[in-house]
Amino acid sequence: MSAPIPVGPAPVLVLVPGATGAPADGGPRFHLADATVPQLSVTDLVATRGDGVFETIGAFDGVPVNVGPHLARLAHSAAQVELSAPDQATLAEAVDAAIAAHEDVAELSVRVMLTRGIEGTGVPTCWIHARVSDDWTPYRAGMRVATLDRGLSTAVAETSPWLLPGAKTLSYAVNMAAVREAKRRGAVDVLFVASDGYVLEGPTSTLLVRRGDEFTTTPASAGVLPGTSVASLFPWLQAQGHQVAERLMTVADVAGSDGAWLLSSTRLAAPIARLDETELPVDAALTDRFQQVLMGRA
Amino acid sequence: MSAPIPVGPAPVLVLVPGATGAPADGGPRFHLADATVPQLSVTDLVATRGDGVFETIGAFDGVPVNVGPHLARLAHSAAQVELSAPDQATLAEAVDAAIAAHEDVAELSVRVMLTRGIEGTGVPTCWIHARVSDDWTPYRAGMRVATLDRGLSTAVAETSPWLLPGAKTLSYAVNMAAVREAKRRGAVDVLFVASDGYVLEGPTSTLLVRRGDEFTTTPASAGVLPGTSVASLFPWLQAQGHQVAERLMTVADVAGSDGAWLLSSTRLAAPIARLDETELPVDAALTDRFQQVLMGRA
């Protein structure tokens, strides 16, 4: 359980001990810790049950994007699993501290993690982990995506909240298994499809589809995670004179579209160049402008 | 992220470093470690994705039950998520070592955990954790259970293996959320129901239903975890002259049965005394005999 030998800039770890409630002495709410040594108990419920929620924030040239919306979504996810989240001001400060402590790099991936904590204590565990982003260049040029059945209908968000639709939990084993299945099919990512035939989202991304001047995403009411990236892009698209909409779409709608992207905070806009066996048009210039918006530069 | 102050007998932790492949020097494959200090990296994929598999083995008066079937099922779960498991002989020795190192107690819960390991290393993390079992006495007397929609159909095991039906993964956030929903409904546990109306299993248990002289469980082909406890009970029931079967059942089948139990390795046989609004007969004498079988004493 020793950490790997670091290569490149060292990751930064910030612990938010106690997770909730101000310390009695009004002292610091978080502190830097050594990311290269073990910091988690084997009985932390994230390790025994995948029981926690998280966010991943992108920081570009040291500037984090959409911190407020990410922390609001974390609070929403936490509420869905009945977990108390630290106050958002503290977390925002901790995110800033992690970025400040990290070597200057172009693209940083900053995770904000909240777990149910060590069994029996009732005290959540919370940490921020900042590391150099993976190199997403090939994905941003256009990627091959496989559609995969998610097994659930678009009605579960309304009927079955205990299935945690729309919560960004740390139970992502199915999401990871789906990406492995996509790779077996010669693709690199997944577009999940509901049991009633509507497209949903990627395992770690939000769908955006273009038809003419209209850009559409899946409504959160279908059980998908409300995307922070699409929430940034929509006002920008409207300012450019485009229409935006949230509407259920079928696989055929995406395959017959004028372009589609999977959006996320660190990978940014990744165009779908091929969906299963169908080639889709890729607009490199528009995608580049999306990246600028998603990096907070437009 | 400090450990809680231990009360009662201290838990025992055994680490299986490297997880797979014999050490070059032929040295020990595992060692005792301090369960009260952090042992996991925040970048272990179990902490960032719930990406791992596990088993929980019951040990009664120091004797573990069904170690072989549990470790075989762990290997099966690991294969489903494309994770290499340590060889079963090593794990069985490590389980024995954990039990031997623990203070003598009547009922021990022994977890065998296998994760995808620290990001980027490709080396699984593996540990055994032994602790005193929770007091399950009230559950063994009869419990109130709520049926909850699992959202998936009984066909997914065949059609959609990336949904990991039948794999015992560490992504249990939905299972835990379901138990919280059950408690909101005045129950203490859950019987999951597939979208096509058939009953499945509990969040941490296997269903057994009696009708006259026939005892029935859900077939693994429906996407449930194949139960080690029911696999112990079936031959015993047959030896007593009963019939056993694996067959899909509806909620009405269970509600109208002559008795039903949720089986697990540490809680043992917990009779369903009430399913939603329907009272079920509880056969205390038969349940006591089940406990003896499940403790390896019959």
Short mmCIF file of all heavy atoms in Angstrom, two decimals, chain B residues 70-126:
data_model
loop_
_atom_site.label_atom_id
_atom_site.label_comp_id
_atom_site.label_asym_id
_atom_site.label_seq_id
_atom_site.Cartn_x
_atom_site.Cartn_y
_atom_site.Cartn_z
N HIS B 70 -16.17 -18.54 -0.68
CA HIS B 70 -16.02 -17.08 -0.68
C HIS B 70 -14.86 -16.66 -1.58
O HIS B 70 -14.98 -15.71 -2.36
CB HIS B 70 -15.79 -16.57 0.74
CG HIS B 70 -17.04 -16.39 1.53
ND1 HIS B 70 -17.97 -15.42 1.24
CD2 HIS B 70 -17.53 -17.06 2.60
CE1 HIS B 70 -18.98 -15.49 2.10
NE2 HIS B 70 -18.74 -16.49 2.94
N LEU B 71 -13.73 -17.36 -1.47
CA LEU B 71 -12.56 -16.95 -2.26
C LEU B 71 -12.78 -17.25 -3.75
O LEU B 71 -12.30 -16.52 -4.62
CB LEU B 71 -11.30 -17.61 -1.72
CG LEU B 71 -10.93 -17.17 -0.29
CD1 LEU B 71 -9.65 -17.88 0.16
CD2 LEU B 71 -10.78 -15.66 -0.18
N ALA B 72 -13.54 -18.31 -4.04
CA ALA B 72 -13.87 -18.59 -5.45
C ALA B 72 -14.76 -17.48 -6.00
O ALA B 72 -14.60 -17.04 -7.15
CB ALA B 72 -14.56 -19.95 -5.55
N ARG B 73 -15.71 -17.02 -5.18
CA ARG B 73 -16.59 -15.95 -5.64
C ARG B 73 -15.81 -14.65 -5.80
O ARG B 73 -16.06 -13.87 -6.72
CB ARG B 73 -17.76 -15.77 -4.66
CG ARG B 73 -18.87 -14.91 -5.22
CD ARG B 73 -20.13 -14.95 -4.37
NE ARG B 73 -19.92 -14.34 -3.07
CZ ARG B 73 -20.86 -14.20 -2.14
NH1 ARG B 73 -22.09 -14.66 -2.37
NH2 ARG B 73 -20.61 -13.64 -0.98
N LEU B 74 -14.85 -14.41 -4.88
CA LEU B 74 -13.99 -13.23 -5.03
C LEU B 74 -13.25 -13.27 -6.37
O LEU B 74 -13.17 -12.26 -7.09
CB LEU B 74 -12.97 -13.14 -3.89
CG LEU B 74 -12.08 -11.89 -3.90
CD1 LEU B 74 -12.83 -10.69 -3.33
CD2 LEU B 74 -10.79 -12.11 -3.11
N ALA B 75 -12.73 -14.44 -6.71
CA ALA B 75 -12.02 -14.57 -7.98
C ALA B 75 -12.96 -14.32 -9.16
O ALA B 75 -12.58 -13.69 -10.15
CB ALA B 75 -11.40 -15.97 -8.08
N HIS B 76 -14.20 -14.77 -9.02
CA HIS B 76 -15.19 -14.56 -10.08
C HIS B 76 -15.51 -13.07 -10.21
O HIS B 76 -15.54 -12.51 -11.32
CB HIS B 76 -16.45 -15.35 -9.77
CG HIS B 76 -17.52 -15.22 -10.81
ND1 HIS B 76 -17.45 -15.86 -12.02
CD2 HIS B 76 -18.67 -14.50 -10.83
CE1 HIS B 76 -18.51 -15.56 -12.75
NE2 HIS B 76 -19.27 -14.73 -12.04
N SER B 77 -15.74 -12.39 -9.06
CA SER B 77 -15.99 -10.94 -9.09
C SER B 77 -14.81 -10.21 -9.72
O SER B 77 -14.99 -9.30 -10.53
CB SER B 77 -16.21 -10.40 -7.67
OG SER B 77 -17.39 -10.93 -7.09
N ALA B 78 -13.60 -10.61 -9.31
CA ALA B 78 -12.39 -9.95 -9.83
C ALA B 78 -12.31 -10.10 -11.34
O ALA B 78 -12.00 -9.16 -12.06
CB ALA B 78 -11.15 -10.53 -9.15
N ALA B 79 -12.62 -11.30 -11.83
CA ALA B 79 -12.58 -11.54 -13.27
C ALA B 79 -13.60 -10.65 -13.98
O ALA B 79 -13.33 -10.12 -15.07
CB ALA B 79 -12.84 -13.01 -13.58
N GLN B 80 -14.76 -10.45 -13.37
CA GLN B 80 -15.78 -9.62 -14.01
C GLN B 80 -15.33 -8.18 -14.17
O GLN B 80 -15.76 -7.50 -15.09
CB GLN B 80 -17.08 -9.66 -13.19
CG GLN B 80 -17.91 -10.91 -13.46
CD GLN B 80 -19.23 -10.85 -12.70
OE1 GLN B 80 -19.30 -11.24 -11.53
NE2 GLN B 80 -20.26 -10.36 -13.33
N VAL B 81 -14.48 -7.70 -13.26
CA VAL B 81 -13.97 -6.33 -13.39
C VAL B 81 -12.53 -6.33 -13.91
O VAL B 81 -11.84 -5.29 -13.84
CB VAL B 81 -14.08 -5.53 -12.07
CG1 VAL B 81 -15.53 -5.41 -11.64
CG2 VAL B 81 -13.24 -6.14 -10.96
N GLU B 82 -12.06 -7.47 -14.44
CA GLU B 82 -10.73 -7.57 -15.03
C GLU B 82 -9.62 -7.17 -14.06
O GLU B 82 -8.76 -6.35 -14.35
CB GLU B 82 -10.62 -6.73 -16.31
CG GLU B 82 -11.55 -7.23 -17.40
CD GLU B 82 -11.48 -6.38 -18.66
OE1 GLU B 82 -10.40 -5.86 -18.97
OE2 GLU B 82 -12.53 -6.25 -19.32
N LEU B 83 -9.70 -7.76 -12.89
CA LEU B 83 -8.74 -7.52 -11.83
C LEU B 83 -8.11 -8.85 -11.47
O LEU B 83 -8.81 -9.86 -11.36
CB LEU B 83 -9.50 -6.93 -10.64
CG LEU B 83 -8.81 -6.23 -9.51
CD1 LEU B 83 -7.91 -5.11 -10.01
CD2 LEU B 83 -9.89 -5.62 -8.60
N SER B 84 -6.78 -8.88 -11.31
CA SER B 84 -6.12 -10.12 -10.94
C SER B 84 -6.21 -10.32 -9.43
O SER B 84 -5.81 -9.44 -8.67
CB SER B 84 -4.64 -10.08 -11.34
OG SER B 84 -4.53 -10.00 -12.73
N ALA B 85 -6.71 -11.46 -9.03
CA ALA B 85 -6.81 -11.76 -7.60
C ALA B 85 -5.59 -12.55 -7.16
O ALA B 85 -5.05 -13.35 -7.93
CB ALA B 85 -8.08 -12.55 -7.32
N PRO B 86 -5.14 -12.35 -5.92
CA PRO B 86 -4.08 -13.20 -5.38
C PRO B 86 -4.55 -14.66 -5.37
O PRO B 86 -5.75 -14.93 -5.38
CB PRO B 86 -3.92 -12.68 -3.95
CG PRO B 86 -4.53 -11.33 -3.92
CD PRO B 86 -5.62 -11.35 -4.95
N ASP B 87 -3.61 -15.58 -5.36
CA ASP B 87 -4.04 -16.98 -5.39
C ASP B 87 -4.80 -17.31 -4.10
O ASP B 87 -4.56 -16.75 -3.04
CB ASP B 87 -2.85 -17.92 -5.63
CG ASP B 87 -1.93 -18.01 -4.45
OD1 ASP B 87 -2.19 -18.82 -3.55
OD2 ASP B 87 -0.96 -17.23 -4.41
N GLN B 88 -5.74 -18.23 -4.25
CA GLN B 88 -6.68 -18.49 -3.15
C GLN B 88 -6.00 -19.11 -1.94
O GLN B 88 -6.43 -18.89 -0.80
CB GLN B 88 -7.84 -19.33 -3.67
CG GLN B 88 -8.64 -18.56 -4.72
CD GLN B 88 -9.88 -19.30 -5.21
OE1 GLN B 88 -10.50 -20.04 -4.46
NE2 GLN B 88 -10.23 -19.10 -6.47
N ALA B 89 -4.93 -19.87 -2.16
CA ALA B 89 -4.23 -20.48 -1.03
C ALA B 89 -3.62 -19.39 -0.14
O ALA B 89 -3.70 -19.45 1.09
CB ALA B 89 -3.15 -21.44 -1.53
N THR B 90 -3.01 -18.39 -0.78
CA THR B 90 -2.43 -17.29 -0.02
C THR B 90 -3.50 -16.55 0.77
O THR B 90 -3.34 -16.24 1.96
CB THR B 90 -1.72 -16.30 -0.97
OG1 THR B 90 -0.66 -16.99 -1.63
CG2 THR B 90 -1.15 -15.10 -0.21
N LEU B 91 -4.63 -16.28 0.10
CA LEU B 91 -5.70 -15.55 0.79
C LEU B 91 -6.26 -16.38 1.94
O LEU B 91 -6.56 -15.82 3.01
CB LEU B 91 -6.81 -15.19 -0.20
CG LEU B 91 -6.46 -14.07 -1.18
CD1 LEU B 91 -7.61 -13.84 -2.17
CD2 LEU B 91 -6.15 -12.77 -0.43
N ALA B 92 -6.41 -17.67 1.74
CA ALA B 92 -6.93 -18.51 2.82
C ALA B 92 -5.98 -18.49 4.02
O ALA B 92 -6.42 -18.40 5.17
CB ALA B 92 -7.13 -19.95 2.32
N GLU B 93 -4.67 -18.53 3.74
CA GLU B 93 -3.70 -18.42 4.84
C GLU B 93 -3.81 -17.07 5.55
O GLU B 93 -3.70 -16.98 6.77
CB GLU B 93 -2.27 -18.58 4.30
CG GLU B 93 -1.86 -20.01 3.98
CD GLU B 93 -0.47 -20.01 3.33
OE1 GLU B 93 0.44 -19.33 3.85
OE2 GLU B 93 -0.32 -20.66 2.28
N ALA B 94 -3.99 -16.02 4.75
CA ALA B 94 -4.08 -14.68 5.33
C ALA B 94 -5.34 -14.54 6.18
O ALA B 94 -5.32 -13.89 7.24
CB ALA B 94 -4.06 -13.63 4.21
N VAL B 95 -6.44 -15.16 5.75
CA VAL B 95 -7.67 -15.15 6.56
C VAL B 95 -7.41 -15.86 7.89
O VAL B 95 -7.77 -15.37 8.96
CB VAL B 95 -8.82 -15.82 5.77
CG1 VAL B 95 -10.01 -16.15 6.69
CG2 VAL B 95 -9.27 -14.93 4.61
N ASP B 96 -6.76 -17.01 7.81
CA ASP B 96 -6.44 -17.75 9.05
C ASP B 96 -5.55 -16.92 9.96
O ASP B 96 -5.74 -16.90 11.19
CB ASP B 96 -5.73 -19.07 8.71
CG ASP B 96 -6.69 -20.11 8.13
OD1 ASP B 96 -7.91 -19.94 8.30
OD2 ASP B 96 -6.21 -21.07 7.51
N ALA B 97 -4.58 -16.22 9.37
CA ALA B 97 -3.66 -15.40 10.17
C ALA B 97 -4.41 -14.28 10.87
O ALA B 97 -4.13 -13.95 12.03
CB ALA B 97 -2.55 -14.83 9.27
N ALA B 98 -5.38 -13.67 10.17
CA ALA B 98 -6.15 -12.58 10.77
C ALA B 98 -6.97 -13.10 11.94
O ALA B 98 -7.03 -12.48 13.01
CB ALA B 98 -7.06 -11.93 9.72
N ILE B 99 -7.59 -14.25 11.76
CA ILE B 99 -8.40 -14.82 12.84
C ILE B 99 -7.52 -15.22 14.02
O ILE B 99 -7.86 -14.96 15.18
CB ILE B 99 -9.20 -16.03 12.31
CG1 ILE B 99 -10.21 -15.57 11.25
CG2 ILE B 99 -9.92 -16.75 13.46
CD1 ILE B 99 -10.86 -16.70 10.47
N ALA B 100 -6.36 -15.81 13.72
CA ALA B 100 -5.46 -16.24 14.80
C ALA B 100 -4.96 -15.05 15.61
O ALA B 100 -4.74 -15.16 16.82
CB ALA B 100 -4.28 -17.01 14.20
N ALA B 101 -4.80 -13.91 14.93
CA ALA B 101 -4.26 -12.72 15.62
C ALA B 101 -5.33 -11.98 16.41
O ALA B 101 -5.02 -11.11 17.23
CB ALA B 101 -3.63 -11.78 14.60
N HIS B 102 -6.58 -12.31 16.15
CA HIS B 102 -7.67 -11.60 16.83
C HIS B 102 -7.96 -12.27 18.17
O HIS B 102 -7.85 -13.48 18.31
CB HIS B 102 -8.93 -11.62 15.96
CG HIS B 102 -9.96 -10.61 16.37
ND1 HIS B 102 -10.79 -10.78 17.45
CD2 HIS B 102 -10.28 -9.41 15.84
CE1 HIS B 102 -11.58 -9.72 17.57
NE2 HIS B 102 -11.29 -8.87 16.61
N GLU B 103 -8.33 -11.45 19.13
CA GLU B 103 -8.79 -11.98 20.42
C GLU B 103 -9.93 -12.98 20.18
O GLU B 103 -10.73 -12.79 19.27
CB GLU B 103 -9.29 -10.79 21.26
CG GLU B 103 -9.66 -11.13 22.69
CD GLU B 103 -10.08 -9.87 23.46
OE1 GLU B 103 -9.39 -8.83 23.29
OE2 GLU B 103 -11.07 -9.94 24.20
N ASP B 104 -10.01 -14.02 20.99
CA ASP B 104 -11.08 -15.01 20.83
C ASP B 104 -12.44 -14.36 21.09
O ASP B 104 -12.66 -13.80 22.17
CB ASP B 104 -10.89 -16.17 21.83
CG ASP B 104 -9.70 -17.05 21.45
OD1 ASP B 104 -9.26 -16.96 20.28
OD2 ASP B 104 -9.23 -17.80 22.32
N VAL B 105 -13.31 -14.46 20.12
CA VAL B 105 -14.68 -13.95 20.28
C VAL B 105 -15.63 -14.95 19.62
O VAL B 105 -15.22 -15.77 18.80
CB VAL B 105 -14.87 -12.55 19.64
CG1 VAL B 105 -14.00 -11.52 20.34
CG2 VAL B 105 -14.57 -12.58 18.15
N ALA B 106 -16.91 -14.83 19.96
CA ALA B 106 -17.89 -15.79 19.43
C ALA B 106 -18.09 -15.61 17.93
O ALA B 106 -18.14 -16.58 17.17
CB ALA B 106 -19.22 -15.62 20.18
N GLU B 107 -18.22 -14.35 17.50
CA GLU B 107 -18.54 -14.11 16.09
C GLU B 107 -17.64 -13.02 15.52
O GLU B 107 -17.61 -11.90 16.01
CB GLU B 107 -20.01 -13.72 15.92
CG GLU B 107 -20.95 -14.82 16.41
CD GLU B 107 -22.40 -14.59 16.00
OE1 GLU B 107 -22.65 -13.76 15.09
OE2 GLU B 107 -23.28 -15.24 16.60
N LEU B 108 -16.94 -13.39 14.47
CA LEU B 108 -15.98 -12.49 13.84
C LEU B 108 -16.44 -12.25 12.39
O LEU B 108 -16.90 -13.17 11.72
CB LEU B 108 -14.62 -13.17 13.85
CG LEU B 108 -13.33 -12.36 13.89
CD1 LEU B 108 -13.30 -11.37 15.03
CD2 LEU B 108 -12.14 -13.34 14.00
N SER B 109 -16.28 -11.01 11.95
CA SER B 109 -16.56 -10.66 10.56
C SER B 109 -15.21 -10.42 9.87
O SER B 109 -14.46 -9.54 10.29
CB SER B 109 -17.43 -9.40 10.54
OG SER B 109 -17.53 -8.89 9.23
N VAL B 110 -14.91 -11.21 8.85
CA VAL B 110 -13.59 -11.14 8.21
C VAL B 110 -13.77 -10.68 6.76
O VAL B 110 -14.30 -11.41 5.93
CB VAL B 110 -12.89 -12.51 8.23
CG1 VAL B 110 -11.47 -12.38 7.66
CG2 VAL B 110 -12.85 -13.08 9.64
N ARG B 111 -13.35 -9.46 6.49
CA ARG B 111 -13.46 -8.94 5.14
C ARG B 111 -12.20 -9.24 4.34
O ARG B 111 -11.09 -9.06 4.83
CB ARG B 111 -13.59 -7.43 5.17
CG ARG B 111 -14.93 -6.93 5.62
CD ARG B 111 -14.90 -5.41 5.48
NE ARG B 111 -16.13 -4.85 5.96
CZ ARG B 111 -16.21 -3.81 6.77
NH1 ARG B 111 -15.10 -3.21 7.17
NH2 ARG B 111 -17.36 -3.34 7.15
N VAL B 112 -12.40 -9.66 3.11
CA VAL B 112 -11.29 -9.84 2.16
C VAL B 112 -11.52 -8.81 1.06
O VAL B 112 -12.53 -8.87 0.35
CB VAL B 112 -11.28 -11.26 1.58
CG1 VAL B 112 -10.07 -11.45 0.67
CG2 VAL B 112 -11.30 -12.30 2.69
N MET B 113 -10.59 -7.85 0.94
CA MET B 113 -10.78 -6.70 0.07
C MET B 113 -9.71 -6.68 -1.02
O MET B 113 -8.53 -6.89 -0.75
CB MET B 113 -10.66 -5.41 0.89
CG MET B 113 -11.38 -5.44 2.22
SD MET B 113 -13.18 -5.48 2.07
CE MET B 113 -13.50 -3.74 1.79
N LEU B 114 -10.15 -6.39 -2.24
CA LEU B 114 -9.22 -6.34 -3.37
C LEU B 114 -9.60 -5.14 -4.23
O LEU B 114 -10.73 -5.07 -4.73
CB LEU B 114 -9.33 -7.63 -4.19
CG LEU B 114 -8.44 -7.72 -5.43
CD1 LEU B 114 -6.97 -7.79 -5.05
CD2 LEU B 114 -8.84 -8.93 -6.28
N THR B 115 -8.67 -4.20 -4.39
CA THR B 115 -8.97 -3.00 -5.16
C THR B 115 -8.04 -2.90 -6.37
O THR B 115 -7.05 -3.63 -6.45
CB THR B 115 -8.80 -1.72 -4.32
OG1 THR B 115 -7.43 -1.27 -4.38
CG2 THR B 115 -9.18 -1.94 -2.86
N ARG B 116 -8.36 -1.99 -7.28
CA ARG B 116 -7.52 -1.82 -8.46
C ARG B 116 -6.19 -1.12 -8.11
O ARG B 116 -5.33 -0.97 -8.98
CB ARG B 116 -8.27 -1.07 -9.57
CG ARG B 116 -7.71 -1.35 -10.97
CD ARG B 116 -8.58 -0.80 -12.08
NE ARG B 116 -9.92 -1.34 -12.05
CZ ARG B 116 -10.24 -2.53 -12.57
NH1 ARG B 116 -9.35 -3.26 -13.18
NH2 ARG B 116 -11.48 -2.96 -12.48
N GLY B 117 -6.04 -0.71 -6.86
CA GLY B 117 -4.76 -0.18 -6.41
C GLY B 117 -4.57 1.29 -6.73
O GLY B 117 -5.47 1.97 -7.22
N ILE B 118 -3.39 1.77 -6.41
CA ILE B 118 -3.09 3.19 -6.59
C ILE B 118 -3.05 3.51 -8.09
O ILE B 118 -2.45 2.78 -8.88
CB ILE B 118 -1.74 3.51 -5.92
CG1 ILE B 118 -1.89 3.37 -4.39
CG2 ILE B 118 -1.26 4.91 -6.30
CD1 ILE B 118 -0.58 3.49 -3.63
N GLU B 119 -3.73 4.59 -8.46
CA GLU B 119 -3.80 5.03 -9.86
C GLU B 119 -2.43 5.02 -10.52
O GLU B 119 -1.47 5.58 -9.98
CB GLU B 119 -4.34 6.46 -9.93
CG GLU B 119 -5.82 6.54 -9.72
CD GLU B 119 -6.30 7.99 -9.70
OE1 GLU B 119 -5.46 8.90 -9.86
OE2 GLU B 119 -7.51 8.20 -9.51
N GLY B 120 -2.35 4.41 -11.67
CA GLY B 120 -1.13 4.46 -12.45
C GLY B 120 -0.14 3.35 -12.15
O GLY B 120 0.81 3.15 -12.90
N THR B 121 -0.36 2.61 -11.05
CA THR B 121 0.60 1.57 -10.71
C THR B 121 0.23 0.22 -11.35
O THR B 121 1.12 -0.61 -11.59
CB THR B 121 0.70 1.34 -9.19
OG1 THR B 121 -0.57 0.88 -8.71
CG2 THR B 121 1.08 2.62 -8.48
N GLY B 122 -1.06 -0.01 -11.56
CA GLY B 122 -1.50 -1.30 -12.07
C GLY B 122 -1.33 -2.44 -11.07
O GLY B 122 -1.45 -3.61 -11.44
N VAL B 123 -1.06 -2.10 -9.82
CA VAL B 123 -0.87 -3.13 -8.79
C VAL B 123 -2.07 -3.12 -7.83
O VAL B 123 -2.29 -2.13 -7.14
CB VAL B 123 0.43 -2.89 -7.98
CG1 VAL B 123 0.59 -3.96 -6.91
CG2 VAL B 123 1.62 -2.84 -8.91
N PRO B 124 -2.85 -4.19 -7.81
CA PRO B 124 -4.00 -4.22 -6.89
C PRO B 124 -3.58 -4.07 -5.43
O PRO B 124 -2.46 -4.42 -5.05
CB PRO B 124 -4.61 -5.61 -7.13
CG PRO B 124 -4.12 -6.04 -8.47
CD PRO B 124 -2.75 -5.43 -8.61
N THR B 125 -4.49 -3.53 -4.64
CA THR B 125 -4.32 -3.46 -3.19
C THR B 125 -5.20 -4.54 -2.58
O THR B 125 -6.34 -4.73 -3.00
CB THR B 125 -4.76 -2.07 -2.67
OG1 THR B 125 -4.00 -1.06 -3.33
CG2 THR B 125 -4.56 -1.96 -1.17
N CYS B 126 -4.66 -5.23 -1.59
CA CYS B 126 -5.43 -6.32 -0.98
C CYS B 126 -5.21 -6.33 0.52
O CYS B 126 -4.08 -6.18 0.99
CB CYS B 126 -4.98 -7.65 -1.59
SG CYS B 126 -5.87 -9.09 -0.97
#
